[in-house]
Each structure stands twice: as structure tokens, then as C-alpha cells.
Amino acid sequence: MTEDTQGASMDRILQEISAVGRKLEGMDNAMVALTAETRSMRLEIAGFQSQISGLDQQVMTVEAQAASWTNRDQELLQLRSRLTDLEDRSRITNIRLLGIPEGIHSYLRDMLPKLTDTTFDPPLEFQRAHRLGPKRQDGKGRPRPIISCMLCHGQARQLLQTARSQGPLRLGTLEIRLSADFSRETAERRRAFFSLRTRLRHLVMKFGLFEPARMWITKNGESRTFYDPEDLRMFLEGLHDTSQTMETTAQPSPPPTQDAQGQALGAGQPETVLDPDRRTAKDSQTRGRDLERLTKNYDDRGQVLQAVAMYTQLSDRDKSRSPLKPTVPST
């Protein structure tokens, strides 16, 4: 090998080494960039983790607040219930009078014994009484109700019981009604219970509305008490659905129609099995037609049954030669 050839080989090797060096340098630069990108991604992930931790803390805080709000809602409902009960108890001596005209000026302690035709001993005593709502300028429409506060709770109960036992009270031609006084919430519950009376009567139930607002019902010897009208409505809907299901299940099948001779139609249909060994649809139709011809040409029911019994005992070959082929009676 000459010196020129060796020199050319060395140059080529050096060039390849330089190319490899450049590639390695490029890879080093790529590694540096990748390392920097990885470092930034790690920083971003750490930031995300910190945000997620903060969100977890916020969620826990919101859940704790929601739990406290739920407890507050329950406390609010309890306080509202207690407030309604206190208001009803404060109205326990009040009586509402409906239907007394505006122009009548009389003391209630004198009017009510006359309305109820009852002598109260001791006499009725009132703390105060006034009409509800603003006075109507035109004087038309229904008179404003009167609310009276009696001095004694026992007298208020006695007066209401007397009014209920006597039915509608009359002041001349006017009908006067007496009722107990309740808070707005209790009055709404009582109206909701009253709206269900028609359904209770339809279901043949004994029922009664007791003060302040609880409905007592009895059916088939079982008694239940409801404090919420919605619970009673759902209970009645369940009874109605159950009764409809029982009526649908127990609905009797329609009676069979009859022909002109009073015999039930439908006898001798293809479903009647004449030959248990033959169970194809075609054979069933053939047997049905044969039996139908027999029932049409024999007037006596006993002859028909005898012919059917004899016909079912014949073999298929004998049936073609059967002497029981009916003949149309001459007219």
C-alpha cells in the first residue's frame, strides 16, 4: 500500500470520526434540552399537586359547611315547629265567629248563649274581641270574621263543643259558625286534611281530625294517625292502587253466549280433544268440524254427548265408515 492510499484512508477515518463527534454533540444538546424540559414538567406537576391539595382542603371545608347547614336546616325546622306549637297554644282561648253582619253591635257574652240556646255557668267572660282585616268601604261582600279571646280555656272548649253538637247556628236567617283559632301553618295543614275527606269516604274509612292538625283513620279494625297530609295522601294512593290491582285480578270472565235454543255456544270448538293420539293442528280442525256437524244436526243434548263419546272411540279407518254420520231431519 502506497503512502497516498494510506493518507486517503486516514482522511476518511478522520471524517467519519468527526461526523460521529458531531452526532454525539447533537445528542448531548438534545439530552440537555430534554433534561430541562423534564425539570420544567416536574415543576408543573409539583404545582398541580399543590393545587389539588388546596382543592381537597376546600372540598373538605365545603363538606363540613354543608353538614353544618344540614344541621342548621334541621334546627330551623325544629324551631319553626316549636314556634308553630307556641303560637297555637297562645291561640287556645281564641274563637272565630263567621257570618255575623257588620252592623250588629252586641256583646258576645249576651249573644252567644242565645245563639247556642245554652246557659253557661259561670257566665262567659271575654278579654277582648275584634274583627279581622280592614273595613270594607262599600259594605258589600261577606262580613269580616270576629276573633274573640276568652278568659278561660275551659269555657272556650265548652262553647265550641256546644256549637258542634247543635250544628249550624242561626241568627235570624243568617248562619253563624264558630271555630277554633290556629296559626297559618296549622290552618293550612287542616285544610289539606279536609281536602282528603272525599277519598276517605270513598274508601269506607272512619276518620277524625283532631286539634291542632292530626288525622286519625280506622279501616278493618286498624287505626293510624297522620300528622302530615302528604303522608296520608301517599297512604291513600297506595290503597287505591292495591284495590285496583285486586279488582283487575278478581274480575270474572264473561259468561258464554247462548244460541236461540238456550245452549251455550263454544262447545265443540277445535280445542276439544276427541282423540288424544292425534295432536296436529290439521287433525284438530278436522275433529272440530266433525263435532260441529254433529252438534248442528242433533237437537237433543244427550244424543250429542252420546254421539261424541262413540265417535271418539272409533279408529281413523272406522270413522270413514261410521254409522254415526248425522242425517238432517226431514222437515
Side-chain angles (χ1 to χ4, degrees), residues 95-289:
I95 293 181
R96 287 174 174 256
L97 294 92
L98 308 176
I100 298 180
E102 297 274 349
I104 292 182
H105 300 282
S106 177
Y107 289 107
L108 292 179
R109 64 172 176 265
D110 299 329
M111 180 189 299
L112 291 177
K114 295 178 181 179
L115 285 175
T116 58
D117 194 18
T118 304
T119 301
F120 294 93
D121 187 19
L124 298 178
E125 298 182 11
F126 296 87
Q127 297 187 42
R128 58 188 178 275
H130 61 87
R131 292 189 182 268
L132 297 176
K135 184 177 181 180
R136 298 180 177 88
Q137 299 298 329
D138 54 2
K140 298 180 180 179
R142 292 184 300 178
R144 294 174 296 167
I146 297 177
I147 183 168
S148 62
C149 179
M150 303 191 67
L151 183 63
C152 180
H153 167 254
Q155 286 189 342
R157 297 300 97 186
Q158 181 184 2
L159 182 59
L160 289 174
Q161 291 174 2
T162 303
R164 292 193 187 103
S165 63
Q166 294 184 1
L169 303 178
R170 294 289 178 179
L171 182 63
T173 59
L174 301 176
E175 179 179 334
I176 309 299
R177 289 183 298 162
L178 276 66
S179 65
D181 185 36
F182 301 100
S183 63
R184 178 178 299 179
E185 292 79 4
T186 302
E188 291 177 354
R189 287 167 55 199
R190 290 177 66 88
R191 282 194 293 268
F193 277 127
F194 274 123
S195 65
L196 299 173
R197 288 181 298 176
T198 303
R199 300 177 65 178
L200 289 170
R201 293 191 185 100
H202 178 70
L203 293 172
V204 193
M205 285 187 176
K206 295 181 180 180
F207 63 91
L209 183 60
F210 294 90
E211 296 181 1
R214 56 188 177 95
M215 180 68 80
W216 171 84
I217 64 172
T218 299
K219 185 175 178 62
N220 298 329
E222 181 181 356
S223 300
R224 299 188 63 173
T225 303
F226 294 89
Y227 295 88
D228 190 350
E230 189 63 28
D231 294 340
L232 178 57
R233 184 178 292 106
M234 295 178 62
F235 175 75
L236 295 179
E237 289 177 356
L239 288 181
H240 181 68
D241 296 340
T242 303
S243 61
Q244 281 189 342
T245 303
M246 294 178 63
E247 290 176 0
T248 305
T249 305
Q251 183 176 5
S253 59
T257 57
Q258 296 182 348
D259 58 7
Q261 298 179 355
Q263 295 181 354
L265 297 178
Q269 295 298 323
E271 289 79 2
T272 303
V273 180
L274 298 178
D275 189 357
D277 297 331
R278 299 170 63 88
R279 300 186 182 275
T280 62
K282 184 176 180 180
D283 292 337
S284 298
Q285 294 176 1
T286 303
R287 291 193 299 273
R289 286 195 297 268

Side-chain angles (χ1 to χ4, degrees), residues 309-320:
M310 295 177 63
Y311 186 80
T312 55
Q313 295 176 2
L314 297 177
S315 62
D316 294 337
R317 184 179 60 184
D318 294 335
K319 286 177 183 178
S320 61

